[in-house]
């Protein structure tokens, strides 16, 4: 067995979620049906959006209870992504700020899944 680079978010509307992510990230889904949509991002990371009523076996967790991290090379890229996503109507949960692990902001998708953009703090030598 090997680790996967595929995350599934349970959503109320794959079509609405796919439209949100296409607008936010600038990628079209590589697969889309009434119950599912999938994005493949540069580097091969996959994000699946699965209709919550079709999950088999049914999930016990709540929708919107997950977070994806997006790496940036520097603080300016974090700030630029924040400005871009805010202009595109993403719900901003946390404006850019320095935290123990790095410089970050957090947004939410239509189902409340958290999208954290960050630049990792330099580790002391």
């Amino acid at each position: 067995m090997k680790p996967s680079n595929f995350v599934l978010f349970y959503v109320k509307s794959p079509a609405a979620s796919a439209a949100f992510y296409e607008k936010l990230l600038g990628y079209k889904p590589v697969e889309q049906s009434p119950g599912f949509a999938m994005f493949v991002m540069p580097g091969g990371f996959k994000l699946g959006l699965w209709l919550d009523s079709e999950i088999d076996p049914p999930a016990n967790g709540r929708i919107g209870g997950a977070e994806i991290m997006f790496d940036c090379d520097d603080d300016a890229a974090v700030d630029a992504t924040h400005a871009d996503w805010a202009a595109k109507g993403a719900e901003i949960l946390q404006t850019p700020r320095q935290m123990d692990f790095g410089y970050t902001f957090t947004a939410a998708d239509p189902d409340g899944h958290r999208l954290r953009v960050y630049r990792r703090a330099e580790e002391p030598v």
Side-chain angles (χ1 to χ4, degrees), residues 5-90:
N5 62 348
F6 190 174
V7 171
L8 284 172
F9 277 172
Y10 306 148
V11 299
K12 293 189 184 312
S13 170
S17 290
F20 171 83
Y21 281 102
E22 183 175 342
K23 181 179 178 182
L24 203 68
L25 302 175
Y27 312 123
K28 292 192 175 294
V30 297
E31 180 180 334
Q32 192 164 6
S33 68
F36 183 76
M38 183 171 69
F39 289 83
V40 178
M41 298 179 207
F45 177 78
K46 298 171 196 78
L47 173 62
L49 307 167
W50 196 358
L51 181 62
D52 64 338
S53 62
E54 292 185 1
I55 300 164
D56 188 18
N60 292 332
R62 69 176 178 87
I63 291 178
E67 183 169 301
I68 291 182
M69 306 278 287
F70 295 87
D71 293 351
C72 287
D73 292 330
D74 53 41
D75 292 358
V78 172
D79 288 334
T81 303
H82 170 260
D84 179 55
W85 288 10
K88 291 176 177 173

Side-chain angles (χ1 to χ4, degrees), residues 67 91-96 104-108 114-117:
E67 183 169 301
E91 178 184 5
I92 303 300
L93 302 176
Q94 176 190 52
T95 57
T104 186
F105 80 90
T106 308
R114 295 162 60 115
L115 312 172
R116 182 175 298 278
V117 176

